[in-house]
Amino acid sequence: GGELNVIEGMQGLFDNGIKPILLTEVSVVECALTDLSELYRRLTRHGYACYQLHHRHLAKCDPTQLPAGTHGNVMWFNEVDAELVGSLDF
């Protein structure tokens, strides 16, 4: 639940062009959807895209559109990292 505070604290990194790979836990429940939407909005504004691991491949996703009851991890890659890892098998 502290992701928004962490992203806010990372603003200096973003301002300096530093965009690390991020991993967040996602629980799609009614009370968390507002925070998830804000997290998605902030990170996409900084050039990130969201991915989930599906059948050993990364698949781009919009975490705000995940089915209710979803609980798992999503990875946030900036555009350059996404191109590098998109073809990797896990």
Side-chain angles (χ1 to χ4, degrees):
E3 291 89 357
L4 290 174
N5 291 333
V6 170
I7 298 306
E8 188 173 311
M10 292 176 65
Q11 188 60 49
L13 292 175
F14 297 142
D15 291 345
N16 288 314
I18 300 169
K19 297 179 183 179
I21 294 171
L22 305 172
L23 174 70
T24 59
E25 184 179 25
V26 174
S27 291
V28 183
V29 293
E30 191 172 316
C31 62
L33 194 54
T34 302
D35 286 347
L36 185 57
S37 295
E38 181 61 18
L39 180 65
Y40 182 68
R41 187 186 71 74
R42 288 186 192 188
L43 287 174
T44 55
R45 183 179 65 207
H46 289 296
Y48 281 85
C50 184
Y51 294 82
Q52 279 190 304
L53 191 56
H54 287 286
H55 307 290
R56 298 180 49 157
H57 296 283
L58 288 173
K60 200 172 192 179
C61 71
D62 176 344
T64 65
Q65 300 300 311
L66 294 172
T70 298
H71 183 85
N73 295 316
V74 295
M75 290 157 267
W76 303 86
F77 296 103
N78 62 56
E79 294 170 8
V80 173
D81 289 330
E83 289 179 19
L84 293 174
V85 301
S87 61
L88 297 178
D89 283 331
F90 292 86

